[in-house]
Amino acid sequence: MSQMQSVEKQLRQMILGLEIGPGEKLTERWIESRFGASRTPVRAALLRLETEGLVGRDGRGWTVSPINLAELEQIAVYREAVEVAALRLSCGLVDRSAVDVIEAMLESCDKDTPREEWHRVGMDFHIELARLSGNDFLFRAVRDAMTRLSRARWLEVRNEAALSRAWAEHRAILAAARVGDADEAARLLSGHIVGSRERLVTSLANDRRGLRARGFAVVPA
Amino acid sequence: MSQMQSVEKQLRQMILGLEIGPGEKLTERWIESRFGASRTPVRAALLRLETEGLVGRDGRGWTVSPINLAELEQIAVYREAVEVAALRLSCGLVDRSAVDVIEAMLESCDKDTPREEWHRVGMDFHIELARLSGNDFLFRAVRDAMTRLSRARWLEVRNEAALSRAWAEHRAILAAARVGDADEAARLLSGHIVGSRERLVTSLANDRRGLRARGFAVVPA
DNA sequence: AGTACCATATTGGTATCCCAACTTGGTATC
DNA sequence: GATACCAAGTTGGGATACCAATATGGTACT
C-alpha cells in the first residue's frame, strides 16, 4: 500500500474514532511526524479527506470538520432520496437473496457485542442495502453519507433503546424487501431515516454543552 | 488563485471540452510542461479531478475517463432520485420566485446562440433547480452528475430536435413548480431524465464507431 | 526473420528544500 | 496599562531531487 493510502486510512480512522476531535486544527507537519510520512503523501491524503468532508480548510490551514447539526439534517434528506431509490431498485430484482446476508449481519450483534461493532453494523446495513441495488452512484452516495454521519452516530450509540428500535426497523425493512413490497419498504425506510435524524439531532443539541467541554466543536442547526 | 486551482480548472476545461479525448493517457510531466506548473500542484489537481470521475488510474498512470454507457445509465437513475427529491423540496417553498430566474436563463437561448451556450444552459437548468431546494447535498450531487454527463451531452447537442424538445420539457417542469404542483413537476422531471437518457445512450451507441475513430474511448453498456 | 534479453528512458511515489504569508510573543512607546 | 510595532518562528504552497518500477528500443543470437 502506498504511503498516501496508508496516511489517508489512518487519519480517517483517527478522525472517525474521535481520536482527533471535531474542530481541531491540523498541520501537515504534525501529520507528517505522527505517521512517519513526508508531506507529499500527507497533502494527498488531506486532499482526499477534504472531498469526503472529514477535513476542511480554515483560512490557509486544515481543520477536522466540526459536527454540524444543520448538515446532519440536510444529509438525512439526501439519504432518504438515495436510499429509497436504491431500495426500490432492489425490490425489483428477481434475486433478492442477498437480503438474507444483510439480515445475518444484523443478527450477528447481541448483548455481548462491543459498541464499535453495533456502530459499524448499523452503518453497513444501509451501505450494503444500497449496494444491493447494483447502482454504483447510489451506493457511493449512501456510503459517503454514512461516513459523514459516522461521528455523530458514534456519540449516540450509548443509547440502548435507540439501538434496539433501529434494529427492529431494519428487520422490518428487510422483511418488506424480501417479499418485494417496494412501497412498504420505502415507507418504512423513510420513517426510519426521519426518525433517526430527529433523535440524533435532538440528542446532540442537548449534549452540545458537554461535547464542547470535551473539545468537540458542534455547530448548531 | 493558487496554481493547483488554476491547473485543476484548465485541465477540467480541456477534458470537458474534449481537447483531451476520453481514454487518453496523461502524464504528470506533460501536464506540468503544458501549464507551466510543477508537479506538486499538478498532482493535487489530478487527485481532485479523480474524485470528480474525470480522470482515473490506469495501473500506475493516469487516464482521462472514457465515455461509459453503462455509467451513463446508472447516473440517470441517480439523477432521477436526487433531482426529483430536490424539486419536491423546492415545490414546498413559500418563495418560489427563483423559478423565474431559471426560466429567464432558458429564454436567453435563441437560434443565434452558440452551441456551447445551449450546452451550458441545459446543464445549469438542472443544477440551479437543485440549488433552489436549499439542500447542499442534493445540489452537489446534481452538479457532480451533470459534470460527469457533460462530455456525453456535448457529443449530442448537434441535435436540434432534441434541444427544442428538452427546452419544452424544461419549461413544463418550471410551470408545474411555479404553482407548487410537486407531483406533476416530479412526474415531468422523471420523464425528462428517462427520455434524455434513452436518446443519449442510443445515439452514442450508434455513433460509437465514429467516436472511436476520432480517438474517443467509449465503453459499451 | 523471430525472439530473448539487456541498457536506457520515462513514470509515478516520495523526500526535501525554499519562499511568502501569517502567527506569535515580546518590547518600546505613550 | 494599553497599544503600536517588530522579530522570530511556523505554516501551507510550490519546486526540485531522487528512487524504484515499468516501458521502450535496440541488439545479439538462433
Side-chain angles (χ1 to χ4, degrees), chain B residues 102-163:
Chain B
I102 300 177
E103 176 111 41
M105 212 171 68
L106 290 179
E107 301 309 332
S108 75
C109 290
D110 57 31
K111 62 179 173 49
D112 299 327
T113 308
R115 291 226 183 290
E116 299 157 0
E117 188 69 2
W118 283 89
H119 176 253
R120 196 183 58 71
V121 172
M123 294 201 307
D124 281 352
F125 168 81
H126 292 275
I127 294 171
E128 293 306 317
L129 203 52
R131 189 205 301 274
L132 182 52
S133 73
N135 187 303
D136 247 32
F137 291 86
L138 292 173
F139 163 67
R140 284 203 293 263
V142 172
R143 191 197 50 192
D144 293 353
M146 295 310 297
T147 300
R148 285 206 186 210
L149 286 175
S150 176
R151 292 177 302 169
R153 290 166 61 93
W154 175 249
L155 297 169
E156 255 278 290
V157 280
R158 66 192 93 168
N159 186 341
E160 291 274 351
L163 276 182

Side-chain angles (χ1 to χ4, degrees), chain A residues 125-154:
Chain A
F125 168 80
H126 293 276
I127 294 172
E128 293 307 316
L129 203 52
R131 190 205 299 276
L132 183 52
S133 74
N135 187 303
D136 246 33
F137 291 86
L138 292 174
F139 163 67
R140 284 202 294 261
V142 171
R143 192 196 51 193
D144 293 353
M146 294 311 297
T147 299
R148 286 205 185 211
L149 285 176
S150 176
R151 293 177 303 168
R153 290 167 61 93
W154 176 248

Side-chain angles (χ1 to χ4, degrees), chain A residues 4 40 44, chain B residues 7 11 25-47 50 55-57 60-63:
Chain A
M4 182 226 125
T40 309
Chain B
V7 171
L11 195 52
K25 294 263 186 302
L26 285 175
T27 70
E28 296 182 353
R29 263 116 178 162
W30 178 83
I31 301 169
E32 199 181 338
S33 67
R34 178 67 177 70
F35 297 115
S38 77
R39 286 181 66 203
T40 308
V42 166
R43 289 180 57 93
L46 282 169
L47 282 170
E50 186 187 15
V55 303
R57 300 207 108 99
R60 214 169 54 115
W62 298 96
T63 307

